Amino acid sequence: MRTLGILWRRHGPRVTSLAGLALAWQVAAFSLPAYLVPGLPAVLGEFAAIFVSPDLLGHFALTIGRLMLGMVVSFLVGTALAIGMSLSERFERHLMPLIEFLMGIPALALVVLIIIWVPFVELRIFVVLLLVCFPFFTIQILDGIKGVSKDLIDMLRAFRPTRRQLFAKLILPGVVPAVLTSWKLTIAYGTRAVIIAELVGTTSGIGNRLLSAQEKFEMDDALAWTLALVAFLWASQSVLTWLERRLLRWRPAALARVEQFGSV
């Protein structure tokens, strides 16, 4: 019984919100044409088909693979740039305007430019994801590095640590929250970017399937692919939240959650 109470406190608001949305959608489906608002059974049927059909599952896996490759490389590039800017103020002054310029370019405009400049489909998507995602990683991780207390750094230096010890004992633990936050935010931006790139410049992936559904006016298919993306993002956020609870147990907020919900 206690376990059920813990689960309800954690997931109850989400369940009730989604149930209300589903009910409102089904009510609308009764009064509007199916090509505009298909019923939930039709949408859920198409959603299940994505994970049963090898062909459809291949499109889903291809998009997720493209996304994760771009995200990982963007994270590595962003981390390297953030470390470089934290070590050199001159480097930061020269690089930050370029990063802010990239962040100001709409994803669709960037996709159009990359399609013109890059002839290979997979390379196009990779370049789009890299240019969209690495600026967010860079800024978030740089803020995390700068957020490490100077007093703590001075105190630790009194023990004459090596650079590796200083990084491992203070800088790295201090940056972990920023790293997790950067992943939580950037994976949503990256998902939008990869879908836009697939809509415009590929013949495979979720973006292409959404375009096909739009051309055929198959609203249930389009909604099913949208639900698949939402499910992936929820799963990703759940994994990142789990990592946050494990890696940041020392933070007061994390300890409060542990005391409220029991052992995690």
Side-chain angles (χ1 to χ4, degrees):
M1 193 69 181
R2 181 172 176 269
T3 302
L4 290 176
I6 292 173
L7 289 175
W8 179 252
R9 285 197 297 272
R10 285 182 179 177
H11 306 293
R14 174 178 291 184
V15 171
T16 54
S17 297
L18 293 178
L21 176 61
L23 178 61
W25 184 273
Q26 191 60 35
V27 169
F30 287 136
S31 56
L32 294 173
Y35 65 85
L36 290 178
V37 184
L40 285 179
V43 175
L44 294 177
E46 293 293 334
F47 176 79
I50 293 173
F51 300 96
V52 173
S53 167
D55 180 55
L56 297 179
L57 185 59
H59 284 285
F60 179 82
L62 183 59
T63 294
I64 301 306
R66 288 166 172 165
L67 172 64
M68 296 314 298
L69 175 62
M71 291 283 294
V72 169
V73 175
S74 298
F75 171 70
L76 295 176
V77 171
T79 301
L81 292 177
I83 293 173
M85 287 192 287
S86 70
L87 296 175
S88 172
E89 186 176 345
R90 177 178 295 180
F91 183 54
E92 180 183 358
R93 286 200 306 267
H94 284 83
L95 187 61
M96 188 58 73
L98 299 178
I99 291 176
E100 292 171 348
F101 176 80
L102 280 175
M103 292 180 69
I105 302 176
L108 183 57
L110 189 61
V111 169
V112 172
L113 293 174
I114 297 302
I115 288 175
I116 295 172
W117 291 334
V118 180
F120 306 108
V121 172
E122 296 301 328
L123 185 58
R124 287 175 190 166
I125 298 174
F126 174 78
V127 172
V128 168
L129 280 169
L130 180 64
L131 295 179
V132 168
C133 295
F134 93 81
F136 291 98
F137 280 122
T138 303
I139 289 178
Q140 289 282 340
I141 294 172
L142 178 62
D143 287 345
I145 294 174
K146 289 183 174 181
V148 177
S149 172
K150 187 177 183 300
D151 292 337
L152 290 177
I153 294 175
D154 293 339
M155 182 180 67
L156 188 59
R157 280 177 173 165
F159 297 94
R160 297 184 179 179
T162 63
R163 285 190 175 183
R164 179 178 297 180
Q165 290 173 328
L166 181 64
F167 178 80
K169 299 297 183 182
L170 182 58
I171 304 299
L172 182 59
V175 172
V176 166
V179 169
L180 293 173
T181 300
S182 69
W183 272 93
K184 285 183 177 181
L185 295 175
T186 309
I187 197 167
Y189 290 112
T191 301
R192 296 187 186 101
V194 73
I195 296 304
I196 292 173
E198 290 179 344
L199 276 170
V200 178
T202 70
T203 57
S204 60
I206 295 176
N208 177 261
R209 299 308 302 173
L210 285 169
L211 180 62
S212 176
Q214 180 264 326
E215 291 172 344
K216 298 175 183 177
F217 231 75
E218 296 175 342
M219 183 62 72
D220 53 350
D221 194 23
L223 289 170
W225 284 108
T226 303
L227 286 179
L229 283 172
V230 171
F232 166 74
L233 284 173
W234 274 351
S236 302
Q237 295 292 340
S238 296
V239 170
L240 291 169
T241 300
W242 178 83
L243 284 173
E244 185 179 35
R245 287 201 301 265
R246 287 290 182 264
L247 296 176
L248 304 179
R249 295 174 69 94
W250 50 270
R251 293 199 308 181
L255 292 175
R257 285 200 302 270
V258 171
E259 292 174 358
Q260 181 180 359
F261 296 124
S263 177
V264 294

